[in-house]
Amino acid sequence: MFDEIIRRKKPIPEKLVSYGFKCDGDYFQYYTEILNGTFVLTVQIGTDNTIKTNLIEKETGEEYILYKTNATGAYVGEVRTAIEQALCDIVQNCYETAIFKTAQAQMVIEFVREIYGDELEFLWTKFPDNAIWRRKDNKKWYGAILTVAGKKIGLESDKIEEIIDLRMNPADAQTVLSRDNYYPGWHMNKKSWYTLVLNGSIPDEELKKRIRESYKLAGK
């Protein structure tokens, strides 16, 4: 019901703890009162970024579930609004933007951050799932992470994939694109860019090597 609140977000465990959450195995749990103490709201945030809520009426000790149904009315609307406000405050204080979800996407983002001190730049409001890196010295792009349907880059499945576009020397294009799991650059000049899918088909160390190469090529 409240999934939209955490869309493109991920929790930061340290901030959850600082906020008041308690770690309980596979999830973090937090209690708070809403609607002037009428209800006790329990919020559970899983390590898989799922979010669950439970609401107990203090006076009766009974669970209030109407907000989870299609019930309408002023009071249930007021309850939903109070819960949403509580969740929004948690997200504002304990979450960070996380457009890209795969382990390899997270790995390369952290690698670039550590090696070059660069953060992804989200340049297109119409395409919030696409971002680029650029060198600090000459502002040239050396990489991009994008989301695209697999068939558009040559895969058999139409599943949405997270991909990375990297630079190559045009003279080496034929050699580069002859490698397994290397594809012509998506939405880039195919003479000087190629695409890799961030799904484990390319080993992490090879990805790091290709990012270094792309960074150097952008400096020429």
Side-chain angles (χ1 to χ4, degrees):
M1 180 180 296
F2 300 105
D3 289 345
E4 188 63 26
I5 295 174
I6 59 172
R7 186 167 177 259
R8 298 195 178 97
K9 301 282 186 180
K10 73 172 182 178
I12 304 171
E14 297 81 5
K15 290 190 175 182
L16 289 174
V17 172
S18 296
Y19 193 88
F21 280 82
K22 303 295 184 183
C23 184
D24 190 358
D26 293 332
Y27 59 86
F28 290 85
Q29 187 161 275
Y30 174 75
Y31 301 93
T32 188
E33 295 184 356
I34 64 170
L35 291 179
N36 297 318
T38 303
F39 296 98
V40 175
L41 172 67
T42 302
V43 180
Q44 287 186 354
I45 297 175
T47 53
D48 58 354
N49 200 22
T50 56
I51 186 166
K52 296 179 181 179
T53 59
N54 185 64
L55 200 60
I56 301 295
E57 189 173 4
K58 286 183 67 177
E59 185 175 346
T60 64
E62 296 181 353
E63 183 179 3
Y64 183 87
I65 63 172
L66 285 180
Y67 76 98
K68 296 180 179 180
T69 71
N70 293 325
T72 60
Y75 189 70
V76 69
E78 187 178 354
V79 171
R80 289 193 185 106
T81 297
I83 295 173
E84 184 173 343
Q85 289 173 345
L87 294 179
C88 285
D89 190 71
I90 291 169
V91 170
Q92 182 177 351
N93 286 280
C94 306
Y95 280 63
E96 65 181 353
T97 301
I99 302 296
F100 306 107
K101 303 295 193 302
T102 66
Q104 278 203 319
Q106 293 299 315
M107 183 278 294
V108 298
I109 291 169
E110 186 59 30
F111 173 73
V112 168
R113 182 180 291 134
E114 290 180 357
I115 299 298
Y116 304 118
D118 293 334
E119 299 290 343
L120 284 168
E121 297 180 46
F122 295 86
L123 304 180
W124 305 282
T125 54
K126 290 185 178 181
F127 303 100
D129 295 340
N130 298 332
I132 62 97
W133 290 291
R134 69 175 101 209
R135 290 181 60 120
K136 294 183 179 70
D137 51 3
N138 60 14
K139 306 303 180 184
K140 286 186 177 181
W141 299 6
Y142 61 90
I145 296 186
L146 315 165
T147 55
V148 63
K151 285 185 177 179
K152 291 186 177 181
I153 60 171
L155 300 180
E156 293 183 1
S157 170
D158 227 7
K159 173 188 172 185
I160 298 298
E161 300 284 357
E162 294 175 359
I163 63 173
I164 185 170
D165 281 353
L166 297 169
R167 287 179 177 268
M168 63 182 171
N169 188 324
D172 299 330
Q174 185 173 354
T175 300
V176 170
L177 295 176
S178 68
R179 299 172 181 143
D180 289 343
N181 303 311
Y182 281 65
Y183 305 91
W186 172 250
H187 268 319
M188 296 289 193
N189 185 332
K190 290 176 173 50
K191 294 180 180 179
S192 53
W193 290 81
Y194 62 94
T195 289
L196 303 174
V197 184
L198 297 172
N199 63 357
S201 58
I202 303 295
D204 287 356
E205 290 306 311
E206 185 174 346
L207 270 171
K208 293 176 182 179
K209 178 182 178 181
R210 300 307 174 200
I211 291 170
R212 289 190 183 99
E213 291 174 350
S214 187
Y215 184 88
K216 291 179 181 178
L217 286 169
K220 294 182 178 180

